[in-house]
Amino acid sequence: MARPIRSSRQVSRTSRLLRSIPLLAALCASICCVPFANHVQAAPARAAARSDQSPAPAALDPKFKGKLPISELSEDEAVLHALNRLGYGPRPGDIARIEQMGLEKWIDQQLHPETIDDSSLRARLQALPAVGMDAKALLDDYPQPNAAAKRMGITEDEYRKRMDQAAHPAQGLHPAPNHLPQEMLNEMEEAKVLRAIYSQRQLEAQLSDFWFNHFNVFANKDLDLWLLPPYEADTIRPHVLGKFRVLLEATAKSPAMLFYLDNYVSADPHAFDRAKHAPPPKKKARPGEKLPPIGGKRGLNENYGREIMELHTLGVDGGYTQQDVVEVARAFTGWTIKDQRENSQFYFDERLHDPDPERVLGKTIHAGGIKDGEQVLDLLSKNPHTGHHIALELAQHFVSDAPPDALVARMAKTFQKSGGDLREVMRTMIYSPEFWSRETYRAKVKRPFELVVSTARALGADVDDAMPLVGWITRIGEPLYQCVPPTGYSDKAETWVNSGALLSRLNYAIALAGNHIRGSEIELPPLLGTDAAADPYQALDRAVATFLAGQVSETTRSTLEKESSDPRALSAQLSSAVKEVNLAVITGLVLGSPEFQQR
């Protein structure tokens, strides 16, 4: 059945209503009055102190946990922890399904995503054609407005107006496909949200987000808008559980990275003088092929040389010097882009390459031509600082903002021993007792993207238009693919925890639970029980059990009970008796609680 389309006026009225409810400010204050990290750490401490109410978990069935070193979490907690860390949280029925199949078996499947059928997700993504296109097709189908307008003999403003009118015709007319470049980014954002909500390959989705962030590219840097879809689809996602050296080279040769960090314009300053006196090439080009123009005279660009060491491999404390940055930049001269505005492809231009030896980290690099850069990739990939840096960042994302040194050291050792096998590094982390410790449980704060998609998953949302959810992610503070600096978005709680963001999170949770977000449909009675609306405390108990696994701090519980009995949060006037509980408000409050903000 087609769902009714709410007008923008209705949505706006709903938003004003949510902002006016005092309980949102009250709950926000209860979260912000104590540093967020204290909420994260306090819950396990309370559980331990109240041993009469929270006994130590019984030994887990070996068929359930296999060789996983789980001793401090119950079966439900272990599954919830795995879903929140290795994926984007549970959908209805996930916990029971994984308990039945066994947690170790589920994890083994996630470590081998190629074994998991994801056809249902692929069906959803078919409505987003830009996601599967290569650079040439994207440049053809979503031309730059100024170039397209020039071909049509009209102004750029007129071209944009025509595209907008075609995409948003009068009522009753079928809209034409939108061919403005912004539509590519819209579809990328929608696909990322849908993948996180619906993919059965949850670990692959998490790792794709992690590695894109690690090798960040800013979408709105001119040409990168067209290069981004194949960058994520062909450069990042296929290698997230492969060898780091292969992933590193894939990013180094990606037109998206070459353009973003300006290496495509980096050249040996002497190359242009050499070109004037160069003899004809010994090797003739293939029929119809010609060398691309060498371009205007320019010099060495150090951007990529710096970031490949500081961010991509060694880390900021990786023992390199400014001279190493210069030498690495020299090794990558000639790594450029061919046919930028027609069919962007990696191209090594020997004419622009510095032919003299480089000295990187005390090692002489003089393999010649493109092999100079490839030799640098070998050197950096094998350096112990790289193993430690990658292990630390993975542990910060999947374990805690300040992961145990011993765990990072073991992961780094696996990185070195396995030749940078990322699947084995992840396995070392997952099979560590630190990953399953009580201290680690709910010790991470969800970034806006994680919060929006985990809420949709928890509610079993039926999403047929993900753009409103994309809008909420931006509103809460994390516009997708639009992090400007190469550092990517922060993985630490302090970046995302402030009163304004928390209020937006609460507003989002209540809006989604109340079916006030266009394109997403929620049915609460099947989740909470058809009788839950009869009593606010029963509704709260059901929501806490369903969305928080029954675990909530005393402070949060007290606030939720107080606000759940407030007539302004219920379907009643201040002067009347409660006749029916507003399940959406109570559910939204629970999903806006500190415990749900943690993963």
Side-chain angles (χ1 to χ4, degrees):
M1 178 184 297
R3 80 177 61 112
I5 303 293
R6 293 181 176 82
S7 69
S8 59
R9 181 178 301 175
Q10 287 175 302
V11 174
S12 176
R13 185 164 57 245
T14 300
S15 298
R16 289 196 300 272
L17 172 64
L18 294 177
R19 286 195 297 269
S20 71
I21 296 178
L23 57 87
L24 291 177
L27 189 54
C28 184
S30 78
I31 297 173
C32 293
C33 65
V34 180
F36 209 102
N38 290 358
H39 283 283
V40 175
Q41 297 167 0
R46 279 191 297 270
R50 299 168 63 196
S51 58
D52 57 321
Q53 298 182 35
S54 303
L60 301 184
D61 186 342
K63 292 182 180 179
F64 167 78
K65 73 169 188 173
K67 296 181 180 179
L68 295 169
I70 308 171
S71 60
E72 299 179 12
L73 303 181
S74 68
E75 195 168 286
D76 283 355
E77 288 174 332
V79 175
L80 182 62
H81 182 63
L83 284 165
N84 274 322
R85 294 304 179 85
L86 306 180
Y88 290 99
R91 284 178 60 81
D94 276 354
I95 293 178
R97 177 175 61 85
I98 294 173
E99 287 178 347
Q100 183 176 15
M101 73 182 294
L103 182 55
E104 185 178 46
K105 182 178 180 181
W106 181 81
I107 286 174
D108 186 62
Q109 287 181 345
Q110 293 298 315
L111 286 168
H112 296 86
E114 68 282 358
T115 66
I116 302 173
D117 178 18
D118 225 7
S119 55
S120 60
L121 171 67
R122 289 194 294 272
R124 289 180 179 271
L125 297 182
Q126 286 178 355
L128 306 171
V131 176
M133 291 183 180
D134 60 21
K136 184 179 187 309
L138 290 167
L139 286 162
D140 288 342
D141 281 19
Y142 301 89
Q144 291 178 304
N146 58 347
K150 187 176 181 180
R151 287 197 298 268
M152 297 171 67
I154 58 177
T155 67
E156 182 177 339
D157 286 344
E158 179 62 24
Y159 174 78
R160 289 181 179 276
K161 184 177 180 181
R162 289 187 185 183
M163 291 294 102
D164 186 65
Q165 289 174 342
H168 303 90
Q171 188 172 1
L173 298 178
H174 189 71
N178 187 339
H179 290 286
L180 287 173
Q182 177 63 32
E183 182 64 16
M184 290 185 296
L185 181 57
N186 292 346
E187 292 192 14
M188 282 285 291
E189 292 170 328
E190 284 194 80
K192 185 179 181 73
V193 169
L194 291 174
R195 191 178 300 278
I197 294 174
Y198 290 111
S199 177
Q200 298 297 322
R201 302 174 180 181
Q202 283 284 287
L203 179 58
E204 182 183 73
Q206 269 278 2
L207 285 169
S208 295
D209 177 64
F210 171 85
W211 285 112
F212 185 98
N213 209 46
H214 182 85
F215 293 106
N216 182 54
V217 169
F218 174 51
N220 288 325
K221 185 178 179 179
D222 189 27
L223 188 61
D224 269 321
L225 191 57
W226 287 265
L227 301 177
L228 198 67
Y231 176 67
E232 184 171 52
D234 303 327
T235 301
I236 299 295
R237 189 173 301 115
H239 304 300
V240 297
L241 285 166
K243 292 289 183 119
F244 177 76
R245 170 65 177 78
V246 176
L247 174 59
L248 183 65
E249 181 168 339
T251 59
K253 292 181 176 179
S254 166
M257 183 64 73
L258 290 164
F259 190 83
Y260 173 57
L261 292 181
D262 303 311
N263 202 77
Y264 79 106
V265 295
S266 186
D268 175 12
H270 304 294
F272 304 92
D273 292 331
R274 288 198 305 269
K276 293 178 182 177
H277 310 289
K282 296 179 182 180
K283 182 180 178 181
K284 293 184 178 181
R286 293 191 296 270
E289 181 185 26
K290 61 179 181 179
L291 291 174
I294 195 171
K297 188 172 182 177
R298 55 196 184 275
L300 191 68
N301 189 294
E302 299 175 8
N303 287 355
Y304 183 67
R306 178 173 294 102
E307 305 307 351
I308 192 176
M309 289 193 287
E310 179 178 326
L311 300 177
H312 299 172
T313 58
L314 304 175
V316 68
D317 299 318
Y320 63 90
T321 66
Q322 171 58 26
Q323 189 56 40
D324 287 319
V325 172
V326 173
E327 298 295 291
V328 169
R330 289 180 55 223
F332 283 105
T333 49
W335 289 50
T336 187
I337 304 172
K338 181 180 180 182
D339 297 333
Q340 289 179 35
R341 302 291 171 179
E342 296 178 6
N343 183 23
S344 296
Q345 297 179 25
F346 169 75
Y347 176 73
F348 177 72
D349 195 331
E350 185 86 43
R351 299 168 297 173
L352 301 176
H353 183 64
D354 188 331
D356 296 329
E358 295 89 22
R359 187 79 175 167
V360 179
L361 301 175
K363 304 289 185 181
T364 299
I365 305 294
H366 197 208
I370 192 173
K371 291 183 179 180
D372 285 348
E374 292 172 343
Q375 199 170 65
V376 169
L377 296 177
D378 288 337
L379 180 65
L380 295 178
S381 297
K382 294 175 182 177
N383 190 288
H385 285 291
T386 295
H388 181 271
H389 180 58
I390 298 304
L392 176 61
E393 288 204 339
L394 283 168
Q396 285 176 332
H397 181 79
F398 287 98
V399 181
S400 70
D401 289 358
D405 291 340
L407 171 62
V408 174
R410 290 200 304 277
M411 293 169 65
K413 183 178 180 180
T414 298
F415 185 97
Q416 293 297 120
K417 186 177 180 180
S418 67
D421 189 321
L422 299 174
R423 193 190 326 269
E424 292 309 308
V425 175
M426 288 297 296
R427 193 187 304 277
T428 295
M429 183 195 76
I430 294 169
Y431 278 80
S432 71
E434 294 93 336
F435 183 79
W436 302 100
S437 71
R438 174 63 62 181
E439 185 178 351
T440 298
Y441 184 66
R442 281 182 174 156
K444 290 286 295 179
V445 173
K446 295 174 181 176
R447 287 172 17 217
F449 169 65
E450 295 166 337
L451 183 278
V452 167
V453 298
S454 67
T455 305
R457 284 178 62 84
L459 290 170
D462 179 12
V463 181
D464 62 15
D465 180 1
M467 277 310 296
L469 299 183
V470 171
W472 274 98
I473 296 169
T474 301
R475 183 173 173 178
I476 301 173
E478 188 185 8
L480 300 179
Y481 304 110
Q482 296 173 70
C483 182
V484 178
T487 51
Y489 285 119
S490 171
D491 224 344
K492 296 188 176 181
E494 61 205 35
T495 305
W496 308 109
V497 177
N498 59 73
S499 58
L502 291 171
L503 187 58
S504 291
R505 290 174 180 229
L506 283 164
N507 272 300
Y508 163 70
I510 294 178
L512 184 63
N515 277 316
H516 295 300
I517 295 181
R518 178 178 56 82
S520 298
E521 185 173 15
I522 309 297
E523 293 186 28
L524 288 177
L527 298 176
L528 303 181
T530 56
D531 60 339
D535 177 76
Y537 296 108
Q538 177 173 264
L540 177 60
D541 285 341
R542 298 272 181 86
V544 168
T546 300
F547 304 115
L548 302 180
Q551 298 174 334
V552 65
S553 72
E554 292 177 358
T555 301
T556 301
R557 179 81 198 196
S558 175
T559 303
L560 289 172
E561 287 181 350
K562 178 182 177 181
E563 302 304 338
S564 295
S565 62
D566 190 325
R568 285 168 291 195
L570 308 174
S571 299
Q573 300 299 317
L574 285 171
S575 59
S576 66
V578 175
K579 296 181 180 179
E580 183 178 355
V581 176
N582 188 325
L583 293 180
V585 170
I586 289 181
T587 297
L589 286 171
V590 170
L591 294 174
S593 68
E595 286 77 5
F596 192 81
Q597 306 300 311
Q598 300 157 205
R599 65 178 183 91

